[in-house]
Amino acid sequence: MIRDLAVYRHGIRNEAADLAHAWRSVLDDGGFLWLGLVEPTDVEMADAAHVLGLHPLSVEDALHAHQRPKLERLGDTLICVFKTVFYDDATSAVDTGEVIVVCAPRFVLTVRHGMGAQLADTRARLEARPDFLSHGPYSVLHAVLDTVVDDYVVIAGELEQDIAEIEHRVFSDDATSDAQDIYLLKREVIEFRRAVKPLGQEIDEIFSGPEIGRAHV
């Protein structure tokens, strides 16, 4: 579904109700467009691809979840796939989702799959900082990456607490068999590691690229 659509000029939001009209206003009057989608349908992605001239690989990445984190450059467009994480307090389980960011000089498309990385909050924080947002689409990429990493830190804290609780039970005087809990926790740590580990290389590539340097973010 379309979660949000707006045009930004000098870091200030301009409301937009129609994607084609919004894109035409960017081409005519400058600024950039930010389209945010959540688990889009084929029709929604086809519309976005037609209006924005998306590369077929961008469409494929945005539609299909369960990918490995990656970064690809297609001409002047940067495609980033980030694994997101969220913690289920009821089950102490770490679940993963994805955020795909398609970043070009005049637009940024964000696509979220799963519950992690609530980008509505990210957009609100950016809109409160027009000086930062005025740097263009790559300021959005920077903020999305910051959101993803912040979530990693939170989940790491939750896992540390779970580990401490199991250690306390195992080494206490009335220790019981916690083999199942230990196995489940190990599985969650591995899931978390799979999401986090590949991000280091992506960050290095993003911030060593010419786009971030031009955006001064």
Side-chain angles (χ1 to χ4, degrees):
M1 77 174 63
I2 297 178
R3 180 55 56 90
D4 205 346
L5 168 66
V7 172
Y8 297 88
R9 296 188 179 93
H10 308 294
I12 304 300
R13 178 185 178 101
N14 295 263
E15 297 292 342
D18 176 75
L19 177 59
H21 182 268
W23 182 234
R24 174 52 58 189
S25 73
V26 168
L27 296 178
D28 291 343
D29 302 320
F32 75 94
L33 179 148
W34 181 358
L35 172 62
L37 302 176
V38 176
E39 299 180 356
T41 65
D42 291 354
V43 173
E44 288 169 337
M45 278 309 307
D47 288 345
H50 175 71
V51 173
L52 301 176
L54 297 178
H55 191 282
L57 290 178
S58 302
V59 177
E60 182 179 351
D61 286 337
L63 277 174
H64 303 294
H66 310 297
Q67 303 180 69
R68 290 183 57 81
K70 67 177 182 177
L71 179 150
E72 291 182 348
R73 299 177 190 275
L74 299 172
D76 61 0
T77 301
L78 190 64
I79 305 171
C80 301
V81 178
F82 302 130
K83 298 297 289 187
T84 60
V85 292
F86 53 101
Y87 186 83
D88 188 333
D89 288 319
T91 62
S92 297
V94 175
D95 291 318
T96 59
E98 288 174 18
V99 168
I100 298 93
V101 183
V102 181
C103 200
R106 304 296 292 274
F107 73 85
V108 58
L109 167 68
T110 54
V111 181
R112 180 168 63 83
H113 294 274
M115 296 300 295
Q118 299 293 321
L119 298 184
D121 294 338
T122 303
R123 190 187 288 254
R125 287 195 300 271
L126 272 175
E127 291 177 351
R129 295 187 56 193
D131 58 326
F132 187 82
L133 192 53
S134 66
H135 291 299
Y138 292 98
S139 65
V140 177
L141 173 59
H142 182 283
V144 171
L145 180 56
D146 191 51
T147 297
V148 171
V149 173
D150 283 350
D151 285 350
Y152 288 171
V153 173
V154 172
I155 300 304
E158 297 281 3
L159 289 174
E160 286 180 1
Q161 183 176 342
D162 288 347
I163 292 170
E165 290 175 356
I166 287 181
E167 286 178 341
H168 176 74
R169 296 207 308 264
V170 168
F171 295 108
S172 66
D173 293 336
D174 57 346
T176 58
S177 175
D178 295 287
Q180 182 176 357
D181 288 343
I182 293 172
Y183 170 78
L184 292 174
L185 179 58
K186 180 180 179 180
R187 187 178 65 183
E188 300 312 317
V189 171
I190 291 172
E191 180 78 7
F192 179 65
R193 185 179 181 184
R194 285 174 177 167
V196 172
K197 187 176 180 180
L199 189 63
Q201 182 178 355
E202 286 194 30
I203 292 175
D204 289 341
E205 291 185 36
I206 290 171
F207 287 96
S208 63
E211 299 91 350
I212 295 297
R214 288 198 298 267
H216 304 293
V217 298

